[in-house]
Amino acid sequence: MSPLRFSRRRIHGQAFRRRVGPGIAVAAALAMALRIGPPLGGARAEPAGAASVALVVSVDVSQSVDDSRFVLQMEGIAEALEDPGVIAAMTGHPGGTLFAMVTWADRAGLPLGWRRIATRADAFAAAAQVRATPRQSGEFTCLGQMFRTVTATVLPAMPVPAERIVVDVSGDGIDNCTDPEDLEAERTALLATGATINGLPILVPGENDVVGAGAYRAPGYGLRATPLPQERTDLVQWYRAHVVAGPGAFLLKAAGYGDFARALRRKFVIEVSGLAPGRRDE
């Protein structure tokens, strides 16, 4: 009979001892060393080792985004992931790039949990999953709620550390369901994680040339002043004031949904490479 030995564990701050056989002890030690566990948010298990960049792509899917616009967004993200320049940027750093995608309207979802993109095959696999993402229902543009979800759920689920964290926010409207103070508090909490928040406003002539006064809002919202430096402004100004923030943060606009793929490819390269955007990029 194999001799029994004692191992010490601590649960909820209380130390206790139990007897384990040598085989169980070895398996437990290996599991601890390799950090074996179920994938989080649909992400596959990742090898040990920090990544250079963790990139969260956060996409507005509220009521203003109809089915054709949703497809353009998903296809634009997939095409960006398959672009040779983007792949070179994502795989050109030690540890590659961690990638996750959030979709948000009334609430925020995580259709693509964390995965490491370290090879061309990784990038193409992520692109295929983006294309297969189902449409999320939702009416309002709850940006503050998305900030809160990324802070509380998405970033804590990162499988390995990253040298930089970038949250890439795209959309065609302003927040219409969060009080001004709460929106700023949620953004501040996200910035406190060390993340940089970049913006990609999608400009649609005749729809969002002016935002603020008379904007579509959730019931009960808007009883106080619109969270804008002036009563009427444009979407680019609003994104600069209420979205973009953090070290090296920048804004790059898309001239409509047809321009989304082009803008996002350029934005990915800048974000992952840590380059400074040129004046023509803003």
Side-chain angles (χ1 to χ4, degrees):
M1 180 180 296
S2 300
L4 295 176
R5 65 185 183 85
F6 289 93
S7 69
R8 185 176 299 273
R9 298 181 63 197
R10 182 174 295 273
I11 293 182
H12 302 308
Q14 300 297 318
F16 72 95
R17 304 174 74 208
R18 67 186 178 96
R19 297 188 302 170
V20 295
I24 297 176
V26 171
L30 284 174
M32 183 70 71
L34 296 175
R35 302 175 67 89
I36 295 173
L40 292 166
R44 62 175 183 262
E46 297 289 350
S52 291
V53 184
L55 176 62
V56 181
V57 178
S58 178
V59 190
D60 174 11
V61 293
S62 58
Q63 187 181 57
S64 60
V65 182
D66 60 20
D67 289 343
S68 62
R69 289 176 174 182
F70 178 79
V71 170
L72 284 172
Q73 286 177 304
M74 295 302 107
E75 185 62 29
I77 295 168
E79 289 179 3
L81 289 169
E82 294 170 342
D83 180 79
V86 172
I87 293 174
M90 286 189 165
T91 62
H93 298 281
T97 300
L98 291 180
F99 179 86
M101 184 175 75
V102 171
T103 53
W104 53 282
D106 300 353
R107 59 178 180 82
L110 184 64
L112 268 75
W114 289 109
R115 64 222 50 240
R116 190 194 296 266
I117 297 179
T119 66
R120 182 176 182 273
D122 292 338
F124 271 69
Q129 290 177 304
V130 170
R131 288 192 174 96
T133 299
R135 175 70 189 270
Q136 174 183 321
S137 62
E139 185 174 3
F140 301 106
T141 309
C142 299
L143 181 69
Q145 201 276 348
M146 181 274 290
F147 283 159
R148 181 166 62 254
T149 298
V150 172
T151 302
T153 304
V154 179
L155 296 187
M158 286 171 53
V160 296
E163 295 176 9
R164 293 188 294 117
I165 299 172
V166 177
V167 180
D168 186 322
V169 180
S170 63
D172 66 3
I174 69 172
D175 188 298
N176 58 13
C177 64
T178 310
D179 283 334
E181 295 87 351
D182 293 337
L183 176 61
E184 183 59 30
E186 298 296 354
R187 183 174 71 160
T188 299
L190 178 52
L191 293 172
T193 68
T196 291
I197 309 171
N198 293 330
L200 199 164
I202 304 170
L203 308 182
V204 184
E207 290 188 20
N208 58 10
D209 307 278
V210 176
V211 297
Y216 181 62
R217 300 177 184 182
Y221 177 74
L223 300 178
R224 292 182 289 167
T226 305
L228 299 168
Q230 53 194 32
E231 183 63 14
R232 299 169 68 87
T233 187
D234 63 36
L235 188 61
V236 171
Q237 288 177 307
W238 193 87
Y239 260 64
R240 289 192 193 281
H242 302 284
V243 177
V244 177
F250 70 99
L251 178 148
L252 195 157
K253 60 192 175 186
Y257 281 88
D259 188 43
F260 180 78
R262 189 279 314 168
L264 196 65
R265 284 196 301 272
R266 176 63 180 161
K267 201 152 179 276
F268 276 4
V269 170
I270 296 171
E271 288 170 332
V272 175
S273 301
L275 301 173
R279 293 185 61 85
R280 67 183 182 86
D281 292 315
E282 298 198 3

